[in-house]
């Protein structure tokens, strides 16, 4: 399961940067302003949220192989259907469906890793999620090469084909079966609908929203805010995801099991980096995005690990709910950032992401509490 999960998150990482790395070409061919560019990212995030929350109960009850195969097939077919003549509305549908499939296999992998490693899941989770950052870090370079050699749609088609390959590989991979539930588990599962889930949900909302906005608006910030080239924006996307990759690998080097204090530090550091970078650094966009990535690198895998550990009787449902909160942030925050950009400029829009980072740190303070035995 772990090798398949690593490969799936590698493709997931490329999916996350498809819009940002192709933003200039998409805006030209689909006649997009910043708000509608943000809405495309919101459509992908909304689909991911639907998949995340829908796959949770299925993970807890049904065989995992058909779920994984179906979800990767949905992503693959949706991306293979993208073409240059599609309008904005059809692009939204393709991205929404791709997001549903990606969100579903995201939940399956997250819950399976915690189910297998339990209290030791923080480091394996970081290792698996590092594949997503690796894919997102290298993806813009491959996307740029494909756009120059063929057409911007080629990167969508290749990513779709990779998901079809994942579906095929899953047919020959042993996936864990769902465990039988006991009556006491139903009562315990109900406890996820409590205030204990809210801080983790807000962390997910803020983190995924910032991740999506920085990816989608790197090129507009480079070209419109700093008067740099499109390539500098693409490099900034890679720098951001490279920073996330370094941050996640750092978790593997730390002794013991990290806790919510890491999330507090991540939020505060990310907010400070954005405030300093946007306010005082003129054109070092790659450095700004890379530092923010390092600061936030540990957030997603650690957040998912804490969720699975605190709700052991309904890991799939809990992971799906928290992941869906993240997808909601991925829907709302890029849209709001784009609206700010169209209203008052791209520089204040990027600066506004510091608020979300700070709120992430504040929510982590509530998540950092002693666990009941």
């Amino acid at each position: 399961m772990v090798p398949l999960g690593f490969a799936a998150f590698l493709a997931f990482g490329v999916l996350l940067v498809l819009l940002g790395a192709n933003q200039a070409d998409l805006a030209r061919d689909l006649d997009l302003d910043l708000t509608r560019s943000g809405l495309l990212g919101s459509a992908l995030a909304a689909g991911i949220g639907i998949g995340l929350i829908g796959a949770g109960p299925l993970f807890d009850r049904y065989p995992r192989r058909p779920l994984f195969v179906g979800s990767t097939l949905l992503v693959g077919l949706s991306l293979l259907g993208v073409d240059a003549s599609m309008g904005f509305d059809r692009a939204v549908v393709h991205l929404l469906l791709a997001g549903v499939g990606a969100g579903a296999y995201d939940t399956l992998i997250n819950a399976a890793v915690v189910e297998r490693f339990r209290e030791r899941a923080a480091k394996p989770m970081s290792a698996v999620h590092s594949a997503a950052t690796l894919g997102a870090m290298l993806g813009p370079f491959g996307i740029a090469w494909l756009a120059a050699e063929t057409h911007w749609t080629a990167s969508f088609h290749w990513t779709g084909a990779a998901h079809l390959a994942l579906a095929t590989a899953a047919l020959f991979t042993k996936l864990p079966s769902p465990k039988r539930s006991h009556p006491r588990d139903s009562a315990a599962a109900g406890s996820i609908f409590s205030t204990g889930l809210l801080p983790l949900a807000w962390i997910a909302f803020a983190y995924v929203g910032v991740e999506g906005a920085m990816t989608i608006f790197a090129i507009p910030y480079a070209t419109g805010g700093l008067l740099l080239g499109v390539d500098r924006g693409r490099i900034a996307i890679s720098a951001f995801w490279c920073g996330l990759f370094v941050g996640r690998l750092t978790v593997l080097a730390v002794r013991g099991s990290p806790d919510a204090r890491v999330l507090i530090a991540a939020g505060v550091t990310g907010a400070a980096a954005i405030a300093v970078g946007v306010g005082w650094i003129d054109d070092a966009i790659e450095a700004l995005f890379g530092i923010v990535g390092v600061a936030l690198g540990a957030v997603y895998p650690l957040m998912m690990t804490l969720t699975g550990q605190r709700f052991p009787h309904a890991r799939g449902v809990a992971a799906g709910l928290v992941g869906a909160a993240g997808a909601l942030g991925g829907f709302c925050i890029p849209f709001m950032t784009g609206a700010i950009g169209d209203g008052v400029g791209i520089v204040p829009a990027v600066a506004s992401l510091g608020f979300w980072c700070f709120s992430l740190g504040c929510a982590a303070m509530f998540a950092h509490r002693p666990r009941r035995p």
Side-chain angles (χ1 to χ4, degrees):
M1 179 65 200
V2 172
L4 182 64
F6 188 91
F9 271 123
L10 191 67
F12 184 78
V14 176
L15 174 64
L16 292 178
V17 299
L18 276 176
L19 288 175
N22 286 303
Q23 192 274 340
D25 293 324
L26 281 163
R28 181 195 65 230
D29 288 356
L30 274 64
D31 191 24
L32 306 178
D33 56 14
L34 292 178
T35 301
R36 298 219 309 173
S37 292
L39 280 173
L40 285 183
S42 297
L44 178 64
I48 290 174
I50 295 170
L52 283 164
I53 200 168
L58 299 178
F59 173 90
D60 291 330
R61 293 177 176 84
Y62 299 105
R64 281 73 184 266
R65 180 182 285 124
L67 297 175
F68 189 90
V69 171
S71 62
T72 48
L73 280 176
L74 180 59
V75 179
L77 295 175
S78 299
L79 295 179
L80 286 170
V82 169
D83 63 66
S85 63
M86 66 181 182
F88 174 76
D89 293 340
R90 186 176 144 200
V92 167
V93 173
H94 281 282
L95 290 168
L96 182 70
L97 292 176
V100 170
Y105 73 68
D106 189 317
T107 288
L108 296 175
I109 296 168
N110 287 328
V113 170
V114 178
E115 182 178 82
R116 177 175 176 181
F117 294 97
R118 299 180 181 275
E119 299 300 325
R120 299 178 292 107
K123 292 184 178 181
M125 186 75 81
S126 293
V128 171
H129 276 272
S130 68
T133 58
L134 185 63
M137 179 177 65
L138 300 177
F141 296 104
I143 290 168
W145 181 82
L146 285 171
E149 294 294 321
T150 56
H151 193 266
W152 62 263
T153 55
S155 55
F156 285 83
H157 297 160
W158 277 101
T159 307
H163 280 84
L164 297 186
L166 286 169
T168 303
L171 297 175
F172 304 95
T173 303
K174 183 179 180 180
L175 300 178
S177 300
K179 296 182 179 180
R180 289 186 177 183
S181 61
H182 298 279
R184 66 176 182 274
D185 292 346
S186 298
S191 67
I192 64 173
F193 299 100
S194 67
T195 56
L197 193 72
L198 292 179
L200 294 166
W202 185 263
I203 291 168
F205 179 91
Y207 168 78
V208 177
V210 171
E211 176 190 277
M214 294 201 70
T215 301
I216 292 170
F217 296 111
I219 290 177
Y221 179 56
T223 57
L226 302 178
L227 303 181
L228 304 173
V230 171
D231 288 342
R232 294 286 297 275
R234 286 196 179 110
I235 294 172
I237 295 173
S238 291
F240 175 67
W241 285 91
C242 180
L244 291 175
F245 184 69
V246 171
R248 288 174 185 178
L249 291 183
T250 302
V251 175
L252 301 178
V254 175
R255 291 185 178 181
S257 296
D259 57 27
R261 287 173 292 186
V262 175
L263 302 179
I264 298 172
V268 174
T269 305
I274 291 175
V276 173
V278 174
W280 285 280
I281 298 177
D282 291 332
D283 62 353
I285 182 174
E286 300 89 351
L288 168 61
F289 277 56
I291 292 170
V292 175
V294 172
L296 300 180
V299 172
Y300 198 89
L302 181 55
M303 170 195 74
M304 280 299 181
T305 299
L306 293 175
T307 300
Q309 290 173 346
R310 291 185 179 178
F311 303 98
H313 300 292
R315 288 192 177 96
V317 173
L321 288 172
V322 170
L328 181 62
F331 179 90
C332 295
I333 294 176
F335 171 72
M336 288 187 284
T337 305
I340 293 171
D342 285 331
V344 297
I346 188 62
V347 174
V350 173
S352 71
L353 300 177
F355 164 77
W356 299 108
C357 290
F358 185 74
S359 74
L360 184 159
C362 292
M365 294 176 65
F366 291 95
H368 180 56
R369 57 179 176 80
R371 293 178 60 206
R372 293 181 181 180

